Amino acid sequence: MSRFRNLVRFPVAFFTILAAIPVLAGGPPVGRVPTDSEIAAWNTDVRFDGQGLPLGQGSVSAGEALYSTQCASCHGDFGEGVGRWPALAGGQGTLADDRPQRTIGSYWPYAATIWDYVNRAMPYGNARSLSANEVYSLTAYLLYLNDFVGEDFTLTRKNLVSIHLPNAENFRFDDRKGAELLQFSLPVCMTTCKTDVRITKRAATLNVTPD
Amino acid sequence: MEERNTPKSVSRRTALGGMIAAGAAVSTPAAAAGDDAAITTIQPWRQELGRGVDAMPYGLPSAYEKSVHRRNVSWLTADTYSSVNFTPLHDLDGVITPNGLCFERNHSGVALIDPARHRLMLHGLVKTPLVFTMADLMRFPRQNRTCFLECAANSGMEWRGAQMNGVQFTHGMIHNVMYTGIPLRVLLAAAGVRPSAKWLLLEGADAAGMTRSLPLKKALDDCMVAFRMNGEALRAEQGYPLRLVVPGWEGNLWIKWLRRIEVGDKPWHHREETSKYTDLMSDGRARRFTWQMDAKSVITSPSPQAPIVHRPGPTILTGIAWSGRGALSRVDVSLDGGRNWQIARLSGPADTFALRRFYLEFDWDGRPMLLQSRAHDSTGYVQPTKDRLRAIRGENSTYHNNGIQTWAVNKNGEVENVEIS
């Protein structure tokens, strides 16, 4: 395939060789080595297994106070979601229903992901404004809203990774290869492929399309 | 008979005055009944001077094309900051999407980044962490490649049945652009990836701090850190000044406003790869890391927003097709709801993981039609019907709906989104 030929022709070797130079010359040929504090300023992600969690702690009650002022206007007083904003709680046992509710409680596989996302992107429109302890508190409160911890609970770096969310085992790696590709790779019919063709659904009757 | 001019000065001032006095065009005295006035009258653009070269330093489409633009679906999202709009596929031809028409999908609005204050950092399981300015990045060797970007949720509003009456809304979360950028493996080689490395975390500089995990294998194969689209700088809404290009894989992975690449040994399982961009099956379990976009096609004209406006006879049917698994190899078209199929004509560049354009020229007999297209790719995969997809996945998987689209054309040439038995 042509894209692999292009790979071979591309001058990767030029820069691979240059990459060995910093040891001799004291710096990379292009760019520079970031300082430890620069890396720390941006390396704030938390992995599913808790890698990256900072020291800190937060209680359900502290989280409730923060939630009511910073979160409830979109996500609802009990995490039920206002309008089109995401629900954060409820929906357990609905995933196989006709209208499943995907929330932290019903769907999310890992508690550490809550911490990462709140710290990363919330509050909406004022990201990066929460301290580590405030993120612990909000995460504790969201776990409480979903009945995973009690009202006296305090979340810490240590106990966060021991919290197991019940839907974790219900995710599987993409299995389309086995489940779909073979049956969708059969020879096709070109003529007189079916006899009965009726319209079964119409978009116009719903009338939800913008002008 | 040639078009007739009326004696007058050709000065700019006089020409403008004449136009205002006479209306848009000047009739010629010898015109006969039944003649086309567009021919027998002198049009103002044939007479007066046109616009000067500097009137529009950055060119825009003709004023007569003002209906060609992105549109959103206001009821779909809570606001316009964490939202999406749609490429007007029915108004486009060829394969390249103009930059200003590429659909937008943002999670915390469009970041408006000063490139002088943008940095790209590589760190984690590398021998030498590195940080680059945009000027630094311009010193790395570049490549050019045209790729489609399809949002995993494209056609997601159609899982429960025909809903949106327009190809812009059913299929418009796709665009196809030529990117200029640096192969990601070149940047990774500069940092020196450690042997234990298996995954990357890519992070944007926007207020969502968008992150996705990407397997190192794909990063080393064909990913790119791009700074140009169709020759010019990325548009702000497409990640200016820097975005990731992940050929053939779902659009959410193509991190915009890219500022950080962390090398690790496991996926991060962040919000956008657990809560979102996972595919819920009918049994309540879910697929994750469904990266590849399966082969798909759609007829863009005729379609609900592009009805047939001429009488029966010679008719042009056209559409787009693509695959994220292999080269798009063939498109079949049916005019009768899948009873009979014929092979469409592909035209234009044949880049792997880029859009292809197809055409079918036929004589419309003026009777109703049920139009369908189905894509084949080089792996042997054939685009399935929506019912066959639903039989496996149910109706709640949100993402990766690549089922065959049906358009019903009535005797007046009007077109509706339908599903058929």
Side-chain angles (χ1 to χ4, degrees), chain B residues 137-192:
Chain B
L137 292 171
M138 297 308 124
R139 299 175 64 192
F140 284 95
R142 299 166 204 170
Q143 64 177 178
N144 293 289
R145 182 166 184 187
T146 303
C147 299
F148 76 80
L149 181 162
E150 185 184 17
C151 178
N154 201 19
S155 311
M157 289 184 281
E158 304 293 303
W159 272 113
R160 288 177 176 273
Q163 176 165 251
M164 305 306 295
N165 223 359
V167 70
Q168 180 166 17
F169 306 107
T170 58
H171 291 76
M173 282 197 269
I174 190 166
H175 56 64
N176 192 64
V177 160
M178 176 174 279
Y179 296 95
T180 305
I182 307 159
L184 184 48
R185 68 179 167 280
V186 172
L187 296 176
L188 291 169

Side-chain angles (χ1 to χ4, degrees), chain A residues 7 45 98 175 202 209, chain B residues 160 165 185 262 287 416:
Chain A
L7 267 175
D45 59 84
D98 182 45
D175 64 352
R202 290 180 172 276
T209 310
Chain B
R160 288 177 176 273
N165 223 359
R185 68 179 167 280
E262 182 175 355
R287 292 172 176 162
E416 183 188 354

Side-chain angles (χ1 to χ4, degrees), chain A residues 7 32 45-47 98 107 113 120 124 170 175 180 184 189-190 192-194 198 200 202 209, chain B residues 131 160 165 185 203 260 262 265 268 270 278 286-287 337 339-341 374 382 393 416 419 421:
Chain A
L7 267 175
R32 65 178 176 83
D45 59 84
V46 172
R47 207 164 67 174
D98 182 45
Y107 196 59
T113 308
R120 168 176 306 287
Y124 188 64
N170 289 324
D175 64 352
E180 298 181 7
F184 293 162
C189 171
M190 294 299 284
T192 325
C193 301
K194 50 187 186 179
R198 285 170 296 108
T200 55
R202 290 180 172 276
T209 310
Chain B
V131 63
R160 288 177 176 273
N165 223 359
R185 68 179 167 280
E203 182 180 75
R260 189 167 71 95
E262 182 175 355
D265 58 356
W268 274 255
H270 274 181
T278 49
R287 292 172 176 162
R339 288 187 190 89
N340 299 287
W341 296 84
R374 81 184 164 201
V382 185
R393 303 186 195 170
E416 183 188 354
E419 292 204 22
S421 57

Side-chain angles (χ1 to χ4, degrees), chain A residues 156-171:
Chain A
T156 67
R157 179 167 76 169
K158 195 168 180 187
N159 66 17
L160 192 152
V161 294
S162 66
I163 293 170
H164 176 263
L165 300 192
N167 200 45
E169 282 71 43
N170 289 324
F171 287 88

